[in-house]
């Protein structure tokens, strides 16, 4: 099925069907679904780092300020140590436009905006370059919406994992 949308100008694709290939991401999605407890999404307080210890190095938390459409509307609250290494930087405490290239910040804010608007998880996969010194890395990522007490998305939790080989999708 050709339901994957290319995130131009990058070699990344959005998979709204959540055809997760990595078992860690499937486990994180199952955890998120369990914490929803019938709601559209769990609240941030429902997610405990103690429950997802093995995921923490590759986890990120990003706050979303309405209308959540521009890179400056997304504030990185937490970036795991494996992500700091992957990006060769720590974005914690910064907005996307403060630490990412303009193209990268724009593309990622669009994906986060979709997650906020639709209030549903999103999968990204493909090849990405995370710093100027590095070659493209095959990744798979899951972005999950979180509320902070209301019905709207006020935060996104995600995990990025390196893939051993290219996606066949």
């Amino acid at each position: 099925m050709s339901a994957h949308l290319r995130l131009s100008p990058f070699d990344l694709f959005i998979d709204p069907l959540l055809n997760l290939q990595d078992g860690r991401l499937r486990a994180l999605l199952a955890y998120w679904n369990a914490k929803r407890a019938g709601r559209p999404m769990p609240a941030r307080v429902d997610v405990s780092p103690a429950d997802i210890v093995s995921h923490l190095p590759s986890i990120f938390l990003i706050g979303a300020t309405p209308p959540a459409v521009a890179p400056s509307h997304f504030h990185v609250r937490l970036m795991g140590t494996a992500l700091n290494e992957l990006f060769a930087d720590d974005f914690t405490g910064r907005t996307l436009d403060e630490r990412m290239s303009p193209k990268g910040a724009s593309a990622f804010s669009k994906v986060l905006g979709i997650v906020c608007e639709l209030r549903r998880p999103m999968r990204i996969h493909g090849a990405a370059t995370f710093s100027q010194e590095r070659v493209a890395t095959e990744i798979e990522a899951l972005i999950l919406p979180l509320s902070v007490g209301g019905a709207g998305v006020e935060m996104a939790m995600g995990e990025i994992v390196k893939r051993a080989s290219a996606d066949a999708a």
Side-chain angles (χ1 to χ4, degrees), residues 7-21:
L7 192 57
S8 290
F10 305 101
D11 243 355
L12 292 171
F13 299 86
I14 299 170
D15 173 16
L17 301 178
L18 299 177
N19 184 23
L20 296 166
Q21 303 299 304

Side-chain angles (χ1 to χ4, degrees), residues 36 53 73 93 110 124:
R36 281 191 319 142
V53 170
H73 298 156
K110 286 177 183 169
I124 299 172

